[in-house]
């Protein structure tokens, strides 16, 4: 059985404006996609300009192998760039959206790599009138840079296998994360093969220069934003654990202090990747959202024990050093374009929404879904915020069906009058989030007004 309780504050449910809102710029995501596709078109033009004619089955197969190889090489550079954590892209496109682009692009790229290998072997076999096995041996052993390319192929296919959804579910985030670093080595090993064997680069100096520029630019951005910036910020801000507070069963808030934290530019709704320099925790950086608006000398995250890393945070000691990478994400007030906002939280998804609930301008309603009443973390704070700003909080509790969702279109419309006119921020477990998105669409909320950020890998 599902029950709902609510706390209403203010006159007529009208909240006062809290903070200011910068409008999100929709141009950047569209421009980024246009640049990516333009680059792919440029790669095809490179093949076209270097190919005088295609004759016979061997010519067609080899030509297709060259095209797929060029696109695969370009795809590898794009995939690394998407995960370089460049702030202007991360804060406008969104971390989770870029991760989806990366995952989709990864599937295309590995398909292109497989097609390239098979087509080149097949085309060369027809040209030399030899078998596929003999031709493979010749390519690997006799052509320059091919041993490195073979190692790169094995690393890429291995990474693709562990990135498959069925495999990811069976391994820890930390294991998957470090195995994914093999792609960097694979891209490095394959680069020499592209220039040594690619007909488009052997006799075309401008093409080689452009390819070098592409890869060196991506490598520089990756090195700067993924490695050097986190080290620089760790040394400058000297973040430490100030204390812990147990909020509900299995949920703990970690209070952090440091120097010049306002320079980080963190905003409500964003997250950091936190590396706690404590035994068993220092070797991994996990993403946790800010659960309160950032202050010049204080940050806070609230974490639910869902694995070894998150459970261990409850045992942190004050004074523990912390490296914080970020802030990341576009789940901020910039996305809002309506005077009314609905925040829809499930379980630990309350953390970024709690910070937004305090700071979003206009009329704000929060609907918080949990399995049990005792699982409603930060309830006292949420009621206090609602009282201070004249907002509305609905607590939806219970149900043996877990997150399979009593939040139907009809139920949401009853809780939130004029639902279709609201901007919606949604954060919760995947099952609950998908069911809620379907319910919102049925209730008449436009797709562009539903903002969802997922923190699953």
């Amino acid at each position: 059985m599902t029950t709902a309780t609510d706390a209403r504050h203010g006159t007529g449910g009208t909240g006062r404006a809290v903070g200011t809102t910068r409008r999100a710029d929709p141009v950047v995501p569209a421009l980024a996609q246009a640049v990516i596709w333009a680059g792919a078109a440029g790669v095809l033009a490179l093949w076209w300009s270097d190919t005088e004619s295609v004759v016979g089955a061997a010519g067609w197969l080899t030509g297709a192998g060259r095209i797929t190889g060029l696109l695969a090489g370009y795809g590898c550079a794009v995939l690394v760039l998407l995960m370089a954590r460049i702030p202007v892209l991360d804060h406008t496109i969104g971390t989770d959206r870029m991760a989806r682009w990366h995952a989709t692009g990864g599937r295309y790229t590995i398909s292109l790599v497989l097609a390239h290998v098979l087509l080149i072997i097949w085309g060369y076999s027809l040209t030399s009138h030899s078998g596929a096995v003999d031709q493979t041996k010749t390519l690997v052993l006799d052509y320059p840079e091919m041993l490195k390319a073979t190692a790169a192929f094995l690393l890429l296919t291995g990474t693709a296998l562990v990135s498959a959804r069925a495999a990811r579910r069976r391994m820890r985030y930390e294991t998957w994360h470090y195995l994914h670093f093999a792609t960097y080595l694979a891209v490095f090993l394959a680069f020499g093969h592209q220039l040594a064997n690619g007909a488009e680069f052997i006799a075309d100096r401008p093409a080689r220069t452009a390819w070098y520029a592409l890869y060196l630019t991506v490598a520089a951005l990756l090195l700067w934003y993924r490695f050097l910036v986190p080290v620089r910020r760790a040394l400058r801000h000297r973040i430490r654990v100030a204390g812990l507070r147990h909020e509900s069963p299995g949920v703990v808030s970690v209070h952090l202090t440091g120097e010049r934290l306002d320079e980080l530019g963190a905003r409500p709704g964003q997250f950091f990747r936190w590396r706690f320099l404590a035994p068993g925790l220092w070797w991994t950086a996990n993403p946790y959202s800010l659960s309160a608006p950032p202050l010049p000398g204080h940050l806070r995250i609230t974490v639910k024990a869902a694995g070894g890393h998150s459970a261990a945070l409850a045992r942190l000691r004050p004074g523990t050093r912390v490296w914080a990478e970020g802030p990341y994400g576009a789940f901020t007030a910039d996305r809002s374009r309506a005077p009314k906002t609905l925040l829809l939280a499930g379980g630990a998804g309350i953390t970024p929404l709690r910070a937004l609930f305090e700071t979003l301008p206009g009329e704000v309603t929060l609907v918080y879904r949990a399995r049990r009443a005792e699982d409603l973390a930060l309830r006292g704070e949420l009621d206090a915020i609602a009282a201070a700003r004249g907002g509305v909080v609905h607590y939806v509790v219970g149900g043996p069906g877990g997150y399979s969702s009593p939040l139907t279109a009809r139920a949401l419309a009853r809780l939130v009058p004029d639902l279709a006119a609201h901007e919606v921020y949604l954060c919760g477990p995947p099952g609950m989030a998908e069911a809620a998105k379907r319910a919102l669409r049925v209730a008449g909320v436009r797709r562009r007004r539903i903002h969802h950020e997922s923190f699953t890998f």
Side-chain angles (χ1 to χ4, degrees):
M1 181 176 179
T2 300
T3 60
T5 62
D6 66 272
R8 296 177 180 271
H9 304 274
T11 304
T14 302
R16 62 183 178 85
V18 181
T20 59
T21 300
R22 299 197 304 261
R23 298 301 185 196
D25 187 357
V27 173
V28 176
L31 181 61
Q33 288 185 323
V35 169
I36 291 172
W37 285 110
V43 169
L44 291 176
L46 181 63
W47 171 83
W48 180 266
S49 64
D50 188 69
T51 304
E52 295 182 357
S53 63
V54 179
V55 180
W60 283 104
L61 290 169
T62 303
R66 289 170 57 194
I67 291 173
T68 52
L70 285 168
L71 290 174
Y74 172 72
C76 285
V78 172
L79 291 178
V80 174
L81 184 66
L82 289 174
M83 290 293 100
R85 300 174 187 168
I86 302 170
V88 67
L89 299 179
D90 186 273
H91 297 169
T92 52
I93 299 173
T95 305
D96 65 328
R97 189 176 181 184
M98 291 181 67
R100 290 195 297 272
W101 288 5
H102 176 83
T104 301
R107 289 189 286 271
Y108 282 122
T109 300
I110 196 65
S111 298
L112 288 167
V113 169
L114 292 169
H116 167 67
V117 171
L118 294 175
L119 289 167
I120 286 295
I121 291 173
W122 191 0
Y124 279 33
S125 295
L126 292 180
T127 301
S128 62
H129 305 288
S130 61
V133 174
D134 290 336
Q135 186 59 55
T136 301
K137 291 179 181 178
T138 301
L139 286 170
V140 172
L141 299 177
D142 296 343
Y143 279 65
E145 300 287 339
M146 278 303 300
L147 287 174
K148 292 181 182 178
T150 302
F153 172 75
L154 295 175
L155 286 171
L156 285 173
T157 52
T159 304
L161 290 174
V162 301
S163 298
R165 186 170 299 178
R168 293 205 312 267
R169 289 174 181 158
R170 290 171 170 80
M171 68 175 64
R172 298 173 61 188
Y173 168 81
E174 294 85 357
T175 304
W176 172 85
H177 179 72
Y178 281 106
L179 286 175
H180 222 64
F181 278 118
T183 56
Y184 298 151
L185 177 59
V187 172
F188 173 76
L189 291 174
F191 181 73
H193 153 69
Q194 296 172 49
L195 295 179
N197 297 308
E200 294 76 14
F201 302 114
I202 293 174
D204 191 335
R205 185 172 182 178
R208 288 200 311 275
T209 301
W211 211 247
Y212 267 113
L214 171 65
Y215 271 78
L216 289 176
T217 299
V218 170
L221 291 170
L222 180 73
L223 178 64
W224 178 251
Y225 288 113
R226 288 293 297 268
F227 300 100
L228 298 182
V229 167
V231 172
R232 173 175 168 267
R233 287 182 171 175
L235 297 175
R236 178 169 178 78
H237 299 294
R238 300 182 179 277
I239 300 175
R240 296 180 181 272
V241 174
L244 303 178
R245 177 185 173 88
H246 293 273
E247 306 288 358
S248 65
V251 178
V252 63
S253 287
V254 182
H255 294 262
L256 304 128
T257 187
E259 301 175 7
R260 299 179 291 272
L261 297 184
D262 54 314
E263 295 179 4
L264 292 171
R267 305 182 61 202
Q270 291 187 313
F271 69 97
F272 287 78
R273 287 180 169 86
W274 305 91
R275 187 182 302 274
F276 297 91
L277 305 187
L281 296 176
W282 64 268
W283 60 283
T284 184
N286 278 25
Y288 299 116
S289 298
L290 297 174
S291 62
L295 299 174
H298 180 264
L299 300 173
R300 188 186 76 175
I301 59 174
T302 301
V303 181
K304 181 177 181 180
H309 187 278
S310 53
L313 299 190
R315 300 188 295 272
L316 286 172
R317 295 183 177 182
T320 300
R321 291 289 302 272
V322 184
W323 285 24
E325 301 175 32
Y328 297 123
F331 198 60
T332 65
D334 288 356
R335 291 189 174 187
S336 180
R337 290 177 171 80
K340 299 179 180 180
T341 305
L342 168 62
L343 307 178
L344 188 51
I350 188 60
T351 51
L353 297 186
R354 182 262 179 244
L356 287 169
F357 189 41
E358 183 175 347
T359 56
L360 276 173
E363 183 178 328
V364 183
T365 300
L366 171 65
V367 176
Y368 183 8
R369 166 84 167 93
R371 291 177 181 268
R372 305 170 300 173
E374 54 266 35
D375 293 330
L376 293 168
L378 307 173
R379 183 168 183 172
E381 293 184 19
L382 297 172
D383 290 339
I385 293 169
R389 65 169 298 150
V392 179
V393 185
H394 296 287
Y395 300 103
V396 181
V397 181
Y403 293 113
S404 55
S405 195
L407 299 179
T408 61
R410 181 177 297 179
L412 286 172
R414 284 199 303 266
L415 290 174
V416 187
D418 196 19
L419 177 58
H422 284 66
E423 205 86 21
V424 181
Y425 289 75
L426 169 62
C427 191
M432 172 265 180
E434 290 303 316
K437 282 193 284 188
R438 289 194 296 269
L440 290 166
R441 295 288 293 130
V442 172
V445 181
R446 296 180 181 178
R447 191 183 304 276
R448 62 181 176 84
R449 285 192 167 183
I450 302 173
H451 311 296
H452 172 231
E453 193 153 70
S454 170
F455 300 99
T456 57
F457 69 93

